[in-house]
């Protein structure tokens, strides 16, 4: 009996090792464990054995059956896995083939810059406001302290419309300051992006461009607050250690007024072609809201003060993305758009 | 304005490097556009003498010159014919970069070494034409740099001055500013002259318009001789790009540049009755101006006249009739202060802008009128000869009131966010010429036009203290409530997100378009620009289609045919004389969304796909119930394949296939589809409220229904008829197929729809479905249809 079991084990070991397909595996199983299989027959013969022999051979045969069974199962699962692998490999793609694109569109760089700026200023508690592009002289100039027949008006080449009220196309987003302050009592803290127009066109000027205006009016707003706000913005928008520099300037609606330069983001301040060797890039104009402007919207300049700033979106995008020609923004060539 | 450093040094003893001076001016006062070094353009050009001239061995028209320039000798080949041994000439040496753009290099001319070039006046940029080499007849020391010889060795700052700093538009003004920054004294300009001869010329000034002329000064100077001005004056004027003309004109220009006050000189002999009248012109009066323009005058213009006719348009331009000529001996000199906004208005209306008018527009200093007037008299007497022949007429009603402002140091510090001591504030103001006594600030005469409020004083203190010295202090981030909805910010963001995910790229366009696009494009009365830059940018767009189709056309011409785009922007029109401005979104499709066609032909895009996009964007934005109607808004869309989505009277979107006439007009061969969305209307119907509704998990049962029906019956009518059966379990009606066969003639079309039934409470029984289905079939039979 021992010998018989040993023979079965040896035969099985060699046949299972040679087995390469599911049919052979099944045949081995039927031969050994089927209704008339060798092992089944031996188990059937158990009933004729003595009690002592049953005690010895019972466990031995059961063990043999279980071992064979589990080995065949393992073999089958191994063969199945090989079959699956073979099949999957036969379906293999050439990953160097061009992809079949699912195309998503892009946002225009002007929009992307505006969105980014908005989100930075939102961190400081600003909310977004908008205003009209077709404007009256009052909102675009007069309320902003541009007197009639004053040289300050020369700074803005204005498009006029043929309407009864002599409408114009706003020359800056500062008109929104007036709309906001007329609507809400201070404190106000708003960011006002939008399209603006100047009747001026050459290589570096487009008659249409975009600005982002900021306004904060509250009690005790100071020039130091303005500086900190602008530094916060430039460091978040450009590089973490970007410095700013302020120069006296003139805008009728702010006093004091300054131009704000950032350290050249191209050369890091060492001087290059973009910054004309100065190490600085002019990016925005700013100042403390002129008391006349506050008076024009019925805010008492003794009680409240504020700061305002404005920046050119195309300029920011130029520095951020290296766009070297303002015309590109408005040509909207497909090869330009797809880069953003 | 150009500031020559040597001229500045006559008034301020400044020792700083020019670059440092420029930096400090940028920091405290004004922009510097450029630092100009005159020497640079004459680098490597020196004085030399020709010692020997030989014929060129191989060229008849060339000669070989030996040159000595101090210690060095050079051989130079030239084609010039006016050279001779002993001639002293300018020599450009190897490496010189001449003002006319020529770069000098050692070379061979027809085989002979030539180590430089002999220069003409033209080559040195000294004149527009030249006959041969420039001969330096005054024989300067050999080897002298030519810049030194020409006295072109100055440095200049190109200063850019903002409209609020009219006081800086002169050497004297800049000297004052620089002295304040560097804490240096300013030397006063000499205005003393001798007036000893008995006055023999009568002169009377009558000011009839004191509101437009605050001060008028006039004097007669007799016996002058018109001649070129002295070399020193010509040099100084040339340096700042003022062309020397004659001594009188040069002196008025010089004093304008030096002191900032415009002056006018005219012929005394031409003055009727020795009288000057300052008055408003009469309507219809004219003057022949010095620029040869005949100017029609009105009672809004201020003129200087004699008893009969105008002699000058005040503050703007003189008249031809009283102009000074080469033989003029007796003149009237005028210095005045005219009303800035009146000068500006007249100058604008007449289209004449002069150096003088630009100064008067900014307002001139009352005290400086007299100062400059005397300075000019002094220079005329010294340079042109002659004598003061009349009393000085000085007509003004009253001196301007002294502007006094209170110094509130705590206010200054609170606005700047600083802790500047009061004593420093007083020191800054004093340096700038302000007087501060007992906290009362008196503004100097030259700043009164612009400094008259506390804010102006704060600016003065801030800029001299240095904006860059102010410490950063971030304001508290949010300490108050603000309304959220100040803009379309969130909706625009959603719209942009939607379209980019559909595969459309955003464009940004000019708002101005041509009025000559296809006539079907202008759907409203456009707003027209009065002063367009070009005729094709002369009206404002009334829809976004025009921008998108123009862009498609542009890309199409650059061989990009497959492009889906969108734009979020304003449209504008005029309605009942009112200006309307609305924010819209437009999207243009040339192919199916999300399918980039790289190699195969275009993917077909259909009207119904576009309708799907329309429904989806509206749902995405929060619109629940929309109805579709015939498009009656955009003529540029295909009349059959277009529609509008509306709620009540409000149109939320218009969409459809682009009219074939339009695509043809732009030479576009493929079909295009367009949708325009009106967010301002949509906003009214957005419901943010979202409420959970129970849904059924019991199985659905489907029944197919197929029939032929008249083409004129809309799908909506069919749905309505099905719904008339009022089946409580009918959950949805799905259109499976439309088949336009000819089985029952051209008028009939086949619809295959699937009816979906569901009971929210339990599984539907076959019997119930059959019963409901029969009800529906019975209902639709009322329509004239053939099943099958
Ligand atoms: Zn740089």
């Amino acid at each position: 009996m021992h010998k018989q079991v040993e023979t079965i084990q040896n035969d099985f070991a060699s046949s299972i090792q040679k087995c390469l397909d599911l049919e052979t595996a099944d045949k081995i199983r039927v031969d050994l464990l089927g209704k008339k299989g060798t092992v089944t027959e031996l188990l059937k013969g158990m009933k004729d054995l003595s009690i002592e022999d049953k005690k010895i051979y019972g466990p031995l045969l059961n063990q043999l059956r279980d071992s064979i069974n589990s080995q065949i199962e393992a073999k089958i699962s191994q063969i199945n896995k090989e079959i699956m692998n073979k099949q999957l490999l036969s379906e293999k793609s050439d990953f160097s083939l061009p992809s079949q694109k699912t195309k998503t569109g892009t946002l225009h760089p002007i929009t992307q810059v505006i969105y980014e700026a908005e989100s930075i200023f939102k961190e400081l508690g600003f909310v977004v406001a908008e205003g009209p592009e077709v404007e009256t002289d009052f909102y675009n100039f007069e309320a902003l302290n541009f007197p009639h027949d004053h040289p300050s008006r020369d700074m803005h080449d204005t498009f006029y419309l043929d309407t009864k009220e002599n409408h114009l196309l706003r020359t800056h987003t500062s008109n929104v300051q007036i709309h906001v302050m007329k609507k809400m009592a201070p404190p106000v803290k708003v960011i006002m992006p939008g399209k603006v127009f100047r009747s001026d066109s050459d290589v570096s000027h487009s008659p249409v461009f975009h600005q982002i205006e900021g306004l904060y009016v509250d009690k005790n707003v100071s020039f130091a607050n303005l500086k900190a706000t602008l530094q916060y913005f430039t460091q978040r928008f450009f590089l973490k250690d970007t410095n700013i520099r302020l120069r006296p300037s003139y805008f009728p609606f702010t006093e004091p007024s300054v131009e704000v330069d950032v350290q050249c983001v191209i050369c890091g301040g060492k001087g290059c072609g973009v910054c004309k060797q100065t190490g600085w890039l002019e990016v925005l104009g700013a100042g403390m809201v002129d008391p006349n402007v506050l008076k024009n919207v019925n805010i008492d300049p003794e009680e409240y003060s504020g700061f305002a700033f404005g920046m050119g979106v195309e300029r920011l995008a130029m520095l951020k993305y290296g766009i070297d020609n303002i015309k590109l923004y408005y040509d909207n060539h497909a090869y330009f758009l797809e880069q953003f | 304005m150009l500031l020559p450093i040597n001229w500045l040094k006559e008034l301020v003893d400044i020792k700083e490097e020019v670059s440092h001076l420029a930096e400090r001016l940028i920091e405290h006062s004004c922009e510097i556009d450029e630092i100009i070094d005159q020497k640079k353009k004459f680098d490597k050009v020196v004085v030399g003498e020709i010692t020997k001239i030989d014929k060129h061995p191989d060229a008849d028209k060339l000669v070989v010159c030996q040159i000595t320039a101090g210690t060095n000798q050079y051989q130079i080949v030239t084609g010039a014919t006016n050279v001779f041994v002993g001639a002293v000439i300018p020599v450009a040496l190897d490496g010189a970069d001449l003002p006319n753009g020529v770069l000098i290099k050692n070379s061979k001319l027809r085989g002979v070494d030539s180590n430089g070039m002999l220069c003409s006046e033209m080559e040195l940029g000294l004149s527009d034409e030249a006959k041969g080499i420039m001969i330096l007849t005054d024989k300067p020391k050999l080897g002298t740099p030519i810049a030194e010889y020409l006295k072109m060795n100055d440095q200049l700052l190109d200063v850019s001055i903002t409209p609020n700093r009219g006081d800086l538009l002169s050497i004297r003004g800049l000297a004052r500013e620089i002295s304040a920054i560097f804490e240096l004294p300013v030397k006063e300009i000499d205005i003393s002259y001798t007036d000893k001869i008995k006055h023999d010329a009568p002169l009377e000034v009558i000011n009839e318009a004191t509101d437009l002329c605050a001060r008028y000064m006039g004097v007669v100077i007799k016996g002058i001789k018109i001649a070129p001005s002295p070399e020193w004056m010509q040099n100084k004027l040339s340096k700042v790009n003022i062309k020397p003309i004659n001594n009188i004109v040069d002196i008025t220009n010089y004093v304008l540049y030096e002191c900032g006050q415009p002056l006018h000189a005219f012929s005394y002999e031409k003055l009727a009755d020795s009288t000057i009248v300052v008055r408003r012109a009469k309507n219809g009066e004219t003057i022949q101006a010095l620029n040869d323009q005949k100017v029609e005058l009105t009672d809004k213009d201020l003129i200087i006249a004699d008893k009969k006719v105008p002699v000058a348009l005040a503050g703007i331009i003189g008249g031809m009739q009283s102009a000074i000529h080469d033989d003029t001996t007796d003149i009237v000199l005028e210095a005045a202060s005219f009303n800035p906004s009146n000068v500006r208005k007249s100058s604008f209306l007449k289209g004449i802008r002069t150096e003088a008018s630009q100064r008067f527009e900014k307002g001139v200093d009352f005290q400086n009128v007299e100062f400059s007037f005397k300075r000019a008299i002094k220079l005329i007497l010294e340079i042109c000869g002659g004598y003061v022949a009349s009393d000085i007429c000085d007509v003004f009603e009253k001196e301007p009131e002294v502007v006094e402002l209170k110094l509130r140091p705590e206010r200054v510090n609170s606005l700047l966010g600083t802790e500047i001591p009061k004593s420093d504030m007083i020191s800054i103001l004093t340096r700038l010429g302000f007087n501060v006594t007992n906290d009362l600030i008196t503004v100097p005469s030259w700043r009164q036009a612009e400094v008259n409020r506390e804010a102006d004083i704060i600016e003065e203190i801030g800029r001299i203290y240095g904006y860059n010295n102010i410490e950063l202090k971030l304001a508290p981030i949010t300490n108050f409530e603000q309304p959220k909805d100040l803009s379309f910010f969130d909706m625009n963001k959603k719209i942009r997100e939607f379209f980019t995910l559909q595969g459309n790229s955003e464009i940004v366009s000019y708002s101005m378009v041509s009025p000559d696009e296809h006539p079907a494009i202008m759907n409203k009365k456009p707003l027209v620009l009065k002063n367009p830059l070009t005729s094709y940018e002369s009206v404002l767009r009334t829809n976004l289609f025009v921008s998108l189709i123009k862009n498609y056309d542009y890309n199409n011409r650059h061989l990009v045919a497959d492009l889906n785009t969108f734009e979020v922007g304003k449209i504008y029109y005029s309605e009942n004389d009112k200006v309307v401005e609305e924010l819209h979104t437009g999207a243009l499709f040339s192919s199916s969304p999300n399918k980039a066609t790289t190699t195969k032909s275009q993917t077909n895009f259909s009207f119904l796909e576009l309708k799907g996009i329309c429904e989806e964007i509206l749902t995405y934005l929060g619109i629940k119930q929309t109805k579709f109607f015939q498009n009656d808004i955009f003529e540029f869309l295909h009349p059959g394949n277009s529609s509008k989505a509306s709620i009540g009277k409000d149109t939320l979107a218009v969409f459809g296939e682009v009219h074939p006439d339009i695509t043809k007009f732009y030479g576009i061969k493929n079909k295009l589809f367009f949708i325009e969305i009106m967010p301002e209307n949509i906003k009214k119907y957005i419901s943010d409220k979202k409420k959970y509704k129970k849904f059924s998990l019991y199985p659905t049962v489907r029944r197919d229904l197929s029939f032929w029906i008249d083409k004129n019956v809309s799908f909506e009518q069919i749905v309505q008829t099905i719904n008339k059966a009022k089946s409580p379990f009918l959950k949805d009606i799905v259109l499976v197929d439309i088949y336009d066969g000819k089985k029952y003639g051209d008028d009939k079309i086949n619809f295959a729809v699937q009816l979906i039934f569901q009971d929210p409470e339990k599984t539907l029984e076959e019997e119930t479905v059959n019963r409901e289905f029969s009800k529906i079939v019975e209902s639709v039979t009322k329509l004239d249809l053939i099943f099958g």
Side-chain angles (χ1 to χ4, degrees), chain B residues 82-370:
Chain B
N82 68 330
V83 291
F84 54 92
V85 172
V88 178
I89 37 74
V91 186
L93 302 171
D94 183 48
D97 186 358
L98 294 181
N100 70 345
V102 173
L103 202 71
I104 305 302
K105 271 193 168 150
N106 288 343
S107 60
K108 276 187 192 248
L109 275 182
R110 292 282 185 99
V112 176
D113 283 336
S114 182
N115 302 321
M117 190 176 90
L118 311 184
C119 302
S120 71
E121 284 183 40
M122 196 171 72
E123 282 150 349
L124 292 178
L126 302 173
S127 82
D128 295 338
E129 49 178 357
K131 288 179 196 150
I133 305 301
M134 183 181 184
I135 308 291
L136 310 177
T137 47
D138 50 354
K139 304 214 169 177
K141 186 168 175 279
L142 300 183
T144 311
I146 208 78
E148 199 175 298
Y149 167 73
L150 292 169
K151 299 204 172 54
M152 294 279 213
N153 51 358
D154 205 351
Q155 283 170 303
L156 292 89
L157 294 181
D158 189 355
V159 188
S160 168
I161 291 160
T162 51
N164 62 327
R165 292 307 306 271
D167 65 296
L168 296 184
L169 283 170
S170 65
I171 304 289
R172 190 179 180 216
L174 284 164
R176 277 189 192 123
E177 184 78 5
I178 289 161
S179 82
I181 295 170
F182 290 95
E183 301 185 54
L184 292 168
V186 197
K187 280 171 236 164
E188 203 41 289
I189 293 167
D190 187 5
I191 57 167
S192 61
Y193 61 88
T194 21
D195 173 17
K196 280 181 189 152
I197 299 170
K198 192 172 178 293
H199 296 167
D200 58 356
L203 182 70
E204 192 189 358
V205 174
I206 304 166
N207 187 354
E208 293 178 354
T210 47
D211 55 332
L212 298 184
C213 175
R215 185 175 199 179
Y216 192 98
M217 296 186 78
V219 70
V220 180
I221 299 173
K222 274 184 159 183
I224 62 151
K225 191 174 170 350
I226 302 291
S229 57
E231 204 183 309
W232 64 265
M233 183 176 275
Q234 291 198 29
N235 279 341
K236 272 164 127 177
L237 290 174
S238 303
K239 218 186 260 185
V240 296
N241 299 333
I242 298 173
K243 207 175 165 190
I245 293 169
N246 62 43
N247 46 13
I248 289 290
V249 177
D250 290 358
I251 288 168
T252 56
N253 283 336
Y254 183 86
V255 174
L256 171 63
Y257 211 87
E258 185 186 47
C259 303
Q261 168 67 37
L263 301 162
H264 182 51
F266 49 95
S267 166
Y268 178 64
E269 294 125 62
K270 299 280 167 62
L271 202 67
D273 299 331
S274 314
T275 308
I276 291 169
V277 187
V278 183
R279 62 167 168 90
R280 286 180 164 82
K282 296 178 191 117
N283 285 324
E285 259 183 317
T286 59
I287 183 173
Q288 193 74 24
L290 278 172
N291 64 355
D292 234 359
Q293 184 181 335
K294 191 178 175 189
V295 184
E296 308 273 342
L297 301 167
T298 73
D299 60 6
K300 302 252 180 333
D301 301 315
L302 186 72
I303 56 161
I304 310 301
D306 60 16
K307 281 265 161 150
K308 292 174 186 155
V309 293
V311 290
L313 186 53
I316 301 171
I317 196 161
M320 204 65 126
Q321 197 253 342
S322 60
I324 288 167
H325 297 287
D326 287 350
D327 52 3
T328 304
T329 54
D330 303 344
I331 61 158
V332 178
L333 181 70
E334 162 199 300
S337 167
F338 299 115
N339 178 288
S341 74
N342 190 261
V343 169
R344 186 175 161 83
K345 248 189 259 174
S346 281
S347 146
F348 181 76
L349 289 173
K350 311 300 173 212
I352 306 172
R353 292 201 83 186
T354 57
E355 193 64 39
S357 76
Q358 290 183 52
R359 305 278 175 146
F360 284 119
E361 276 181 22
K362 293 187 172 84
V364 297
D365 170 6
F366 187 91
Q367 304 301 340
N368 192 36
V369 173
E370 185 177 348

Side-chain angles (χ1 to χ4, degrees), chain A residues 264 266-269 271-275 279:
Chain A
C264 180
I266 314 290
C267 65
C272 69
V274 176
C275 61

Side-chain angles (χ1 to χ4, degrees), chain A residues 105 118 133 160 166 227 247, chain B residues 31 470 489 500 530 572:
Chain A
E118 280 176 352
E133 292 170 12
Y160 289 93
N166 285 314
K227 255 185 97 169
R247 293 179 280 110
Chain B
E31 189 53 36
I470 295 175
F489 179 78
T500 49
K530 271 188 201 159
Y572 325 76

Side-chain angles (χ1 to χ4, degrees), chain B residues 400-646:
Chain B
E401 275 169 42
V402 174
V403 181
E404 282 184 341
L405 298 164
K406 193 132 180 57
L407 175 65
R408 297 190 294 173
E410 64 297 338
R411 175 78 181 164
V412 176
N413 279 327
S414 118
L415 208 89
L416 293 176
T418 48
E419 283 155 21
I420 306 171
K422 184 178 163 185
S423 55
D424 289 7
M425 293 183 191
I426 293 173
S427 150
I428 287 170
L429 290 172
T430 310
R431 272 150 60 192
L432 287 167
F434 294 80
N435 185 313
V436 189
T437 318
N438 297 330
D439 294 347
L440 213 58
I441 305 164
T442 316
V443 180
S445 66
W446 62 90
R447 298 302 304 278
Q448 281 175 6
E450 290 296 336
V451 180
N452 39 46
R453 303 172 306 159
E454 186 178 44
D456 305 325
I457 293 293
I458 296 174
E459 179 168 65
E460 293 302 302
I461 294 171
R463 70 182 178 86
I464 299 295
Y465 176 77
Y467 295 131
N468 294 315
N469 297 328
I470 295 175
E471 273 176 49
L472 305 177
K473 280 179 206 148
L474 202 57
I477 288 180
T478 29
N479 51 351
F480 55 89
E481 286 273 330
Q482 287 217 82
K484 275 200 179 115
D485 198 18
L486 288 170
S487 76
F488 281 101
F489 179 78
D490 289 330
M491 201 202 294
N492 284 337
K493 220 168 190 175
K494 279 186 101 167
I495 290 174
R496 286 190 167 106
E497 197 173 78
F498 177 87
F499 279 109
T500 49
L501 291 175
Q502 295 294 320
N504 296 52
S505 284
E506 187 188 20
I507 67 164
V508 176
S509 314
Y510 284 7
S511 305
M512 301 85 84
V513 295
S514 163
D516 301 325
E517 300 297 337
H518 191 285
I521 285 180
M522 214 65 88
N523 61 310
K524 299 263 191 186
K525 195 176 167 217
L527 296 170
V528 179
L529 265 66
K530 271 188 201 159
N531 56 336
L533 287 176
T534 64
S535 61
Y536 51 86
E537 289 165 359
S538 62
V539 300
L540 297 186
R541 62 183 178 192
T542 60
N543 52 60
L544 294 175
F545 176 72
V546 59
S547 301
L548 287 155
I549 189 88
K550 293 288 287 174
N551 176 251
Y552 188 82
D553 177 37
Y554 169 80
N555 274 293
N556 199 36
R557 277 186 281 116
H558 289 81
L559 306 174
V560 185
D562 183 38
L563 180 67
N564 292 357
T565 50
F566 77 100
E567 176 158 7
V568 178
K570 296 277 181 78
I571 61 110
Y572 325 76
Y573 56 92
S574 157
E575 198 171 65
N576 306 324
D577 268 348
K578 280 253 157 41
V579 167
V580 185
E581 177 180 331
E582 289 169 2
L583 184 76
H584 282 197
T585 297
L588 190 74
F589 297 84
S590 65
S591 63
S592 271
N594 275 325
K595 286 171 205 154
T597 49
T598 42
T599 49
K600 283 176 212 148
S601 63
Q602 268 192 46
T603 322
N604 285 328
F605 185 70
S606 72
F607 171 71
L608 291 179
E609 227 175 313
L610 184 62
K611 186 185 172 190
I613 286 171
C614 178
E615 286 173 332
E616 201 52 37
I617 175 86
L618 292 177
T619 312
Y620 187 66
L621 294 176
I623 296 293
K624 299 250 159 70
Q625 72 300 13
T626 332
K627 285 201 162 173
F628 292 90
F629 300 93
Q630 185 69 38
N631 156 38
D632 55 2
I633 292 174
F634 290 153
E635 260 184 69
F636 52 78
L637 295 180
H638 186 303
N641 286 341
S642 63
S643 172
K644 65 174 182 183
S646 314

